[in-house]
Amino acid sequence: MAKRLAAAEKEVLVEVVRFTQKNGLRGCDGGWKDFLARNDRKFGASLSDPRKRTRDVLLAFLQTFSKDFQKYFGKLVKRHKERSAVQQYMTDFPDEVSPEQKLVQLTAEHPEYRKHYCFPSYQEGWKVLRIGEVSSLMSSSAMLAIDCEMVLCNDGTEAVVRVCVVDDKLKAKLDILVNPLKTITDYRTHITGVSKKDLEGVTSSLVDVQKSLKTMLSKGNILIGHSLHRDLCALKIDYSQVIDTTYIFKYANLPTTASPSLNNLCKATLGYSVREEGEPHNCLKDAEAAMNLVLAKLKNGFNDPIEIAASSVTESDVAKLLAHRIPVYLPCQELCKIFSGNPNIDDKIDSRIRGEFYSTCISFNDLDEVEKAFEELDGQKTKDSGGRLQKHVLLKRDNGDVVSFYVRKMVYDSWSKRLEVPKKRPEPAEDPEPKKEHVEGVQQKKKRSNFVRDTEDPEPKKRPEPTKDPEPKKDHAEGVQQKKRSKKHTNKENASVVE
């Protein structure tokens, strides 16, 4: 394992160092920043981005950990190689990849995947399951769906008390109650459907469940679940052949970081509810619902964004804008100056960094302030990968550099996602009774423009045909001059509009 770590490429070592940062791991010289402060007299911990450090420095830090940790780091290196091999195989042999495996890849490509599926599997009791050979894996279509119910224990942790697994025919492969082997303080019966009486005489342990799942997944079968990372964390199983049903659909009215409940997602895609309001969870039915969602995705595509019930959207999310693809060298607080109102920038962005870019949320006092800030923001209107309206913004910094990024609302109503253009700007109120020639000049310019405005104004009247007059009258000549002045005025106005 030490040899595998020593032979790893720099980008892989960067991922491993970031893993230690996220989990607060410390070697004999402390954590990453402690190591830099002790061993780098020139920069110290001020240059803590692992990407900006040499491969030798990264490796030297990882070698300060115990042999057990280095063995685990070797597993992370191997996992990274497997992921790279899968991506390369899909690129080289796209026709040989099963539709089910494409959903596995779609899950892995989700922005939240590495945040939620980076498990602390170095801890005692965790099992890291192998996925097998890539070539045979890519053609595999065998799937299992899982759901777990957890209770709260006296040590503040959650423990599994029921596990259900179904296959793609909705046949139950596992339905078992589990004894957590520690004191339970809250059975959460109104949610789990499991009571103290149900667990009397139960002898099956978490280790027994892990052994059963290891057998079921030994051939690289795909594991399906709704917010599956929560189940895997409770089961203490690290496995990468997964489909998370919250990641494989696009949502028209949910924030990127939010996910719908299983019940609301089934309503939107399958047309039925898994349970009635206030009814406790049924572990077996939830596993079946997760499988049905994947089967529906495979059959019907659901490539367009779907709309989730408004109850899934929190009030705090509504009063935010999302700024994304921001270069990492741009401090997030510099974004404040481009928004109207009273924006508050969330500077806790470490978990949202994606390579050379990051994303962050801008909070406002209420929805009206959000709408106004987005409407007044200068930027080219486009659509993101989910079909949601966003603006491509250019920000000029004090040093003269121009930085580009994107801004969109966190939540869109159904009419908002169809909006293509900004609302009509109010006409200047300098002249309450504009002359006829001025009105005709503005209408003629509208006819020539391909820019369609969202307005409720009545259809403009057609411009009257010019009368044949060999000698233009004085008032007609004045009208022409007035039209020229009007055109100049209109051009100035349009110059301030950023499309």
Side-chain angles (χ1 to χ4, degrees):
M1 292 296 180
K3 291 182 179 179
R4 184 179 293 165
L5 184 65
E9 297 178 357
K10 178 184 174 180
E11 63 175 5
V12 181
L13 296 179
V14 167
E15 291 290 331
V16 179
V17 171
R18 281 179 170 170
F19 178 85
T20 66
Q21 288 181 286
K22 179 180 179 181
N23 291 277
L25 303 182
R26 302 170 66 85
C28 61
D29 281 348
W32 171 240
K33 289 187 177 181
D34 299 323
F35 172 81
L36 294 177
R38 288 186 180 186
N39 296 280
D40 188 341
R41 296 181 179 179
K42 183 176 181 180
F43 297 107
S46 62
L47 190 62
S48 60
D49 186 345
R51 294 168 305 168
K52 296 181 180 180
R53 291 293 185 166
T54 65
R55 181 184 177 281
D56 291 340
V57 171
L58 299 172
L59 184 59
F61 166 67
L62 295 175
Q63 289 175 338
T64 65
F65 286 82
S66 66
K67 290 184 178 180
D68 287 339
F69 264 117
Q70 290 190 45
K71 182 179 179 180
Y72 178 74
F73 294 155
K75 292 181 180 180
L76 293 182
V77 172
K78 185 174 182 180
R79 175 68 60 84
H80 189 280
K81 286 185 176 180
E82 288 175 345
R83 187 166 62 238
S84 298
V86 167
Q87 293 173 343
Q88 189 62 47
Y89 190 94
M90 295 186 75
T91 301
D92 295 341
F93 310 102
D95 296 336
E96 298 181 16
V97 180
S98 69
E100 292 81 2
Q101 289 295 334
K102 290 179 180 178
L103 292 186
V104 173
Q105 189 65 14
L106 185 62
T107 296
E109 292 172 352
H110 192 278
E112 295 291 295
Y113 176 80
R114 293 199 180 183
K115 175 182 176 182
H116 290 143
Y117 285 84
C118 186
F119 300 115
S121 49
Y122 55 87
Q123 295 177 356
E124 184 179 356
W126 276 80
K127 302 297 180 183
V128 179
L129 304 187
R130 297 285 307 277
I131 64 173
E133 295 296 326
V134 172
S135 57
S136 59
L137 190 72
M138 289 295 93
S139 59
S140 174
S141 60
M143 300 185 296
L144 296 169
I146 191 171
D147 187 72
C148 304
E149 297 299 340
M150 281 81 79
V151 295
L152 184 64
C153 298
N154 65 339
D155 59 359
T157 63
E158 288 189 325
V160 174
V161 291
R162 188 183 179 189
V163 181
C164 291
V165 178
V166 300
D167 62 15
D168 57 1
K169 304 298 182 185
L170 303 184
K171 181 181 178 180
K173 308 299 288 184
L174 182 68
D175 186 354
I176 187 172
L177 290 171
V178 184
N179 188 337
L181 302 179
K182 51 186 175 180
T183 304
I184 300 173
T185 57
D186 188 356
Y187 285 84
R188 300 169 174 171
T189 305
H190 63 290
I191 298 175
T192 65
V194 177
S195 65
K196 181 178 180 179
K197 185 177 180 180
D198 294 326
L199 295 182
E200 290 179 358
V202 173
T203 59
S204 298
S205 66
L206 179 62
V207 173
D208 296 324
V209 175
Q210 289 176 332
K211 289 180 179 178
S212 297
L213 290 174
K214 183 178 180 179
T215 301
M216 292 181 184
L217 302 173
S218 60
K219 296 182 180 181
N221 291 349
I222 299 168
L223 190 62
I224 297 168
H226 189 79
S227 294
L228 180 58
H229 60 91
R230 295 174 183 171
D231 298 304
L232 291 177
C233 199
L235 292 166
K236 294 187 176 181
I237 288 179
D238 191 342
Y239 189 60
S240 60
Q241 273 288 97
V242 298
I243 297 176
D244 192 325
T245 53
T246 64
Y247 289 176
I248 60 175
F249 296 93
K250 298 176 182 178
Y251 308 112
N253 62 330
L254 285 185
T256 303
T257 55
S259 58
S261 67
L262 179 62
N263 211 38
N264 283 337
L265 184 55
C266 286
K267 284 181 185 179
T269 57
L270 304 178
Y272 70 84
S273 300
V274 181
R275 69 187 67 85
E276 298 299 325
E277 186 175 352
E279 185 181 357
H281 293 200
N282 183 310
C283 196
L284 187 59
K285 285 186 177 180
D286 287 357
E288 292 173 351
M291 179 61 75
N292 281 330
L293 285 169
V294 172
L295 294 175
K297 173 70 175 178
L298 292 170
K299 181 180 179 180
N300 302 315
F302 288 104
N303 295 320
D304 294 329
I306 58 178
E307 198 164 323
I308 301 298
S311 59
S312 298
V313 183
T314 64
E315 185 176 351
S316 61
D317 285 333
V318 172
K320 291 179 181 178
L321 291 176
L322 173 69
H324 62 105
R325 289 196 66 80
I326 310 167
V328 291
Y329 57 80
L330 178 67
C332 62
Q333 292 301 329
E334 285 195 28
L335 303 176
C336 286
K337 61 185 181 183
I338 69 171
F339 296 102
S340 64
N342 298 299
N344 180 32
I345 306 293
D346 179 7
D347 57 1
K348 297 178 180 180
I349 59 173
D350 290 345
S351 63
R352 302 179 195 161
I353 294 176
R354 296 290 179 265
E356 299 294 327
F357 304 96
Y358 72 90
S359 62
T360 190
C361 292
I362 303 96
S363 302
F364 295 85
N365 293 327
D366 51 42
L367 179 58
D368 289 338
E369 195 171 289
V370 169
E371 295 286 348
K372 182 180 179 182
F374 186 76
E375 184 67 25
E376 294 180 352
L377 180 64
D378 286 339
Q380 176 67 43
K381 291 204 169 188
T382 63
K383 287 187 178 181
D384 67 5
S385 59
R388 293 164 292 201
L389 187 67
Q390 63 180 4
K391 287 187 176 181
H392 184 201
V393 179
L394 299 177
L395 170 64
K396 187 173 183 179
R397 304 184 68 189
D398 294 338
N399 62 4
D401 292 344
V402 177
V403 180
S404 72
F405 53 93
Y406 293 86
V407 176
R408 71 165 177 81
K409 300 175 189 176
M410 294 286 279
V411 177
Y412 283 95
D413 294 326
S414 57
W415 63 267
S416 296
K417 68 176 180 178
R418 294 193 296 268
L419 186 62
E420 298 288 349
V421 296
K423 294 181 179 180
K424 181 180 178 181
R425 289 170 61 91
E427 296 291 339
E430 296 177 1
D431 189 355
E433 295 183 0
K435 295 182 181 181
K436 179 180 179 181
E437 293 83 353
H438 175 76
V439 174
E440 290 174 353
V442 172
Q443 290 174 351
Q444 184 65 19
K445 185 170 183 65
K446 286 181 178 179
K447 289 181 180 180
R448 292 195 303 266
S449 175
N450 290 327
F451 186 85
V452 181
R453 297 179 182 273
D454 179 17
T455 179
E456 297 180 356
D457 290 346
E459 183 178 353
K461 296 180 181 180
K462 293 183 178 180
R463 184 176 182 180
E465 295 292 332
T467 57
K468 296 182 180 180
D469 191 347
E471 295 181 2
K473 296 180 180 179
K474 181 180 179 181
D475 57 348
H476 176 72
E478 292 175 352
V480 172
Q481 294 297 324
Q482 179 65 30
K483 283 169 66 177
K484 289 182 178 179
R485 289 193 296 271
S486 299
K487 182 176 181 181
K488 183 177 180 181
H489 172 77
T490 305
N491 288 338
K492 286 183 178 180
E493 177 187 315
N494 288 340
S496 65
V497 180
V498 179
E499 297 182 8

